[in-house]
Amino acid sequence: MLEMTAHRTYPPANGPWIIRQSWRNLLFAHWPVPEELLRPLIPNALDVDTFEGQAWIGIVPFRMEIAPRGLENSLFKRSFNELNVRTYVTHQGRHPGVWFFSLDAGDPLSVASARMFYKLPYFNAEATCRTHEDQIFYQSRRTHPHAPGAEFDADYGPISAAFQARWCSLEYWLTERYCLYTADQQGQIYSGEIHHAPWHLQPAQAEFRANRMTECLGIQLPDTAPHLLYSEHLEMIAWPIRRVSEQYLAQFGEAPSG
């Protein structure tokens, strides 16, 4: 996997990776939203990333398998359903990444570990994911103590053949992201590097019966149809998070224009 890098805008991280993940039956559902709605929800040290001047918020349900490096076939391997709410950010116009508003998962051990070691806003949830032919039936309800309510219920699936996103297209901008940003309680920003092969994407359809994932953010999704993409399967590796500094970011290039 690490020999396949031509699709990236900057090289993979140095040092040993520590986690392998497998993502299956994944839906990228994105809505355009005003940048000013997102700005108060993101640390000032980060910039809201936009494509042709438009900010986006994404809701991404999928099935997850995760294991520490070298223990992929052990009892440490976990399998569960996950649903994240995200937008896109840069640091001083460089190093494009993902900012997660929430990640709901059906595995309490993984939730606790991610909150502790990756400082991510993971929440416990009851989540089911069923498949029938090319159709995915996904439901999630947040159960985390003292957390704001959130619910999702949708059917989705691909509607045409797979493709790889064209460089600097909206599809590339939304999906080919190789770091996440997060912050601790003191406001220190961290970045976590990941790597994977290019996404194999398919245009998708979806029916949303319930979607209350952004209500706790004070964001009402627009009535416009979302931008929908599906991916059957992707393998990913991840490095530990690191404190963001100018020296750290100097190894990365500029954000691709959008």
Side-chain angles (χ1 to χ4, degrees):
M1 189 187 302
L2 283 169
E3 295 177 356
M4 188 180 298
T5 61
H7 59 291
R8 295 180 53 118
T9 58
Y10 60 89
N14 297 320
W17 57 271
I18 61 170
I19 292 172
R20 181 182 292 274
Q21 296 182 9
S22 176
W23 301 335
R24 297 181 185 275
N25 303 129
L26 183 145
L27 176 71
F28 287 108
H30 283 97
W31 288 262
V33 295
E35 180 180 348
E36 55 267 26
L37 288 183
L38 302 177
R39 179 65 272 176
L41 305 174
I42 297 169
N44 291 332
L46 299 173
D47 303 309
V48 178
D49 202 2
T50 63
F51 185 86
E52 298 180 350
Q54 177 63 65
W56 293 80
I57 191 167
I59 297 178
V60 182
F62 60 102
R63 295 191 296 134
M64 162 86 85
E65 292 181 354
I66 183 171
R69 183 175 185 172
L71 299 172
E72 290 89 345
N73 297 315
S74 73
L75 294 176
F76 290 95
K77 182 178 180 179
R78 313 292 294 181
S79 299
F80 53 90
N81 300 314
E82 181 174 315
L83 170 67
N84 64 62
V85 180
R86 59 202 275 172
T87 193
Y88 304 101
V89 296
T90 62
H91 186 276
Q92 299 181 359
R94 293 182 292 168
H95 202 35
V98 177
W99 178 265
F100 291 106
F101 294 117
S102 63
L103 306 98
D104 288 29
D107 184 69
L109 178 60
S110 297
V111 167
S113 298
R115 290 176 73 94
M116 178 179 297
F117 296 112
Y118 273 78
K119 307 183 189 302
L120 287 168
Y122 263 86
F123 299 98
N124 289 303
E126 293 179 350
T128 60
C129 180
R130 298 182 294 107
T131 62
H132 178 67
E133 297 179 346
D134 287 337
Q135 195 76 357
I136 314 301
F137 303 88
Y138 198 103
Q139 294 179 311
S140 178
R141 183 178 64 86
R142 188 175 296 169
T143 59
H144 202 91
H146 312 299
E151 183 181 7
F152 183 85
D153 185 354
D155 302 345
Y156 59 87
I159 56 174
S160 61
F163 67 97
Q164 290 185 18
R166 179 175 51 83
W167 187 272
C168 288
S169 65
L170 175 61
E171 289 76 15
Y172 184 98
W173 186 89
L174 290 170
T175 61
E176 297 291 350
R177 301 260 167 173
Y178 292 93
C179 84
L180 62 87
Y181 288 99
T182 188
D184 61 20
Q185 293 182 346
Q186 289 71 46
Q188 171 63 48
I189 305 298
Y190 294 80
S191 176
E193 298 297 312
I194 70 168
H195 179 67
H196 53 74
W199 283 97
H200 288 269
L201 302 167
Q202 295 175 260
Q205 59 79 34
E207 178 183 354
F208 300 95
R209 286 181 295 276
N211 186 3
R212 298 180 51 240
M213 299 306 301
T214 64
E215 287 183 4
C216 59
L217 302 173
I219 294 176
Q220 182 176 353
L221 297 176
D223 292 332
T224 55
H227 184 283
L228 300 173
L229 295 168
Y230 176 82
S231 184
E232 178 68 26
H233 179 215
L234 187 73
E235 297 287 331
M236 180 273 272
I237 54 177
W239 284 260
I241 61 171
R242 296 171 60 182
R243 290 168 63 103
V244 169
S245 65
E246 286 305 310
Q247 293 77 16
Y248 170 62
L249 290 173
Q251 62 186 295
F252 306 115
E254 298 296 315
S257 60

